[in-house]
Amino acid sequence: MTESTTSPTTSAPAGSPLIVLAGATGALGLLIAHHLRRRGAEVRALVRPASLSGAEAESLRRQGVQVVAADYGSLADLTRACQDATCVVSALNGLRDIIVEAQGQLLDAAVAAGVPRFIPSDFSADFTRVPEGSNRNFDLRREFARRLDAAPIQATSVLNGMFMDLLRGTAPVVLAGPRLVLYWGNADQPLDLTTMQDTADFTAAAALDPTTPRYLRVAGEVASPRQLREAASAATGRPYRLLRPGGLGLLSTLISITKTMVPAPDDVFPPWQGMQYLRNMLSGDAKLQEPLDNDRYPGLEWTTVRDLLAAKQ
């Protein structure tokens, strides 16, 4: 482990809990770091050596985060990086080499360092309930969960449904140009949606809470395609329509065709992966079980779909 040579501009209060954060330079990781610091935690961000001089690492330093370089191939290196932490939070993102192997090495390091708690990089719909083989990225999380459950450490996964931010263009659901809400199957199927910002805030609170259960489930809003149409219409002041190209069987066929034509096995989010995610949500297989844990930490305000879409105007 190599510490950065830049001193933080602010420091955590004496006696503040130390949270080790992996994947801190990613979009979600940066937000988690921000909310941990806002809540008074000391944060040690694990950064690959090549990223030490990047803009994201510098942003972390300016927030008072201790930025250190860590080699995920070295258990000893990671164990030193995890020393004295009260919780290790992973926001790592990738395929099996990251979600299972690198994150597994981080887990082993946390155990070796005597860290009491571990929050894995799940941040998804309920992958524990979907059929095996129906979603590649969910399968990877389930594989890591089995390893985590066998480890002598307290684990907590944060499940937040789909990142609501994707409705602003990345996910083909709310289509601003033709003013359509695209869905497959049932227009009244409830969908769990949470912004990345709210997910990060909740995760920061959970990282500082020693009493968390194995799973925490949150949703900024639970809305069906029909309710998404109403929210989009209200947010923009222009009427949206529902468009149903077909049922879930047709969507499954399109997933198979897309995967054959554009396999992209090394891409984390190829087109067919997003389609698999939508199928799991629209089928109800990945629906978060209630009651949700939204009220666990008072003061956290949840962004609604209408709020999100209106902010884009």
Side-chain angles (χ1 to χ4, degrees):
M1 179 182 70
T2 303
E3 296 196 12
S4 86
T5 57
T6 304
S7 299
T9 55
T10 58
S11 58
S16 296
L18 169 63
I19 308 299
V20 167
L21 176 61
T25 57
L28 180 61
L30 286 166
L31 290 172
I32 293 173
H34 167 75
H35 285 291
L36 282 168
R37 292 292 294 128
R38 185 178 62 82
R39 291 176 179 273
E42 181 181 352
V43 181
R44 180 182 296 154
L46 307 187
V47 175
R48 296 183 187 276
S51 300
L52 268 180
S53 59
E56 294 83 1
E58 182 58 28
S59 173
L60 290 167
R61 293 187 191 97
R62 290 181 181 277
Q63 295 178 64
V65 173
Q66 179 190 6
V67 179
V68 300
D71 177 7
Y72 283 88
S74 169
L75 179 60
D77 201 33
L78 288 175
T79 301
R80 286 191 295 271
C82 290
Q83 289 293 333
D84 302 320
T86 60
C87 183
V88 169
V89 179
S90 172
L92 294 170
N93 187 33
L95 298 179
R96 194 177 191 282
D97 62 323
I98 301 297
I99 297 301
V100 178
E101 295 172 7
Q103 194 171 220
Q105 188 87 324
L106 180 65
L107 171 62
D108 291 344
V111 171
V115 180
R117 301 175 59 240
F118 192 98
I119 296 178
S121 184
D122 289 338
F123 309 114
S124 64
D126 196 343
F127 63 88
T128 69
R129 304 178 63 220
V130 303
E132 191 84 31
S134 69
N135 186 307
R136 180 198 59 183
N137 290 6
F138 283 177
D139 287 346
L140 294 174
R141 279 158 176 77
R142 186 161 34 222
E143 181 181 354
F144 181 75
R146 289 192 290 265
R147 180 168 176 175
L148 181 56
D149 288 338
I153 196 168
Q154 180 183 340
T156 294
S157 292
V158 176
L159 303 180
N160 55 272
M162 185 177 84
F163 284 129
M164 189 187 294
D165 315 66
L166 300 178
L167 294 179
R168 294 195 292 190
T170 306
V173 179
V174 178
L175 308 179
R179 299 202 300 277
L180 294 172
V181 171
L182 181 69
Y183 74 99
W184 307 80
N186 182 4
D188 295 307
Q189 170 60 48
L191 309 174
D192 302 303
L193 305 158
T194 313
T195 64
M196 195 175 291
Q197 185 81 242
D198 290 349
T199 300
D201 197 359
F202 185 88
T203 300
L208 296 170
D209 174 7
T211 67
T212 51
R214 178 63 182 88
Y215 290 96
L216 287 169
R217 298 172 173 86
V218 295
E221 184 169 357
V222 180
S224 67
R226 195 181 309 279
Q227 290 168 324
L228 290 178
R229 180 191 64 79
E230 295 168 359
S233 299
T236 63
R238 307 177 73 183
Y240 275 63
R241 295 181 294 112
L242 289 170
L243 176 62
R244 181 184 186 274
L248 295 173
L250 177 58
L251 178 57
S252 294
T253 299
L254 293 175
I255 291 172
S256 297
I257 293 171
T258 304
K259 193 171 182 179
T260 299
M261 297 183 66
V262 191
D266 297 327
D267 289 356
V268 180
F269 295 112
W272 53 266
Q273 173 62 54
M275 296 165 73
Q276 286 184 337
Y277 207 108
L278 284 176
R279 178 180 60 187
N280 290 141
M281 294 189 67
L282 288 165
S283 68
D285 289 340
K287 179 75 182 69
L288 300 180
Q289 295 175 305
E290 298 188 358
L292 297 176
D293 297 295
N294 285 34
D295 297 331
R296 185 177 180 90
Y297 304 114
L300 202 160
E301 298 182 2
W302 299 94
T303 306
T304 67
V305 172
R306 180 173 176 175
D307 292 339
L308 181 89
L309 296 178
K312 188 184 178 184
Q313 301 305 303

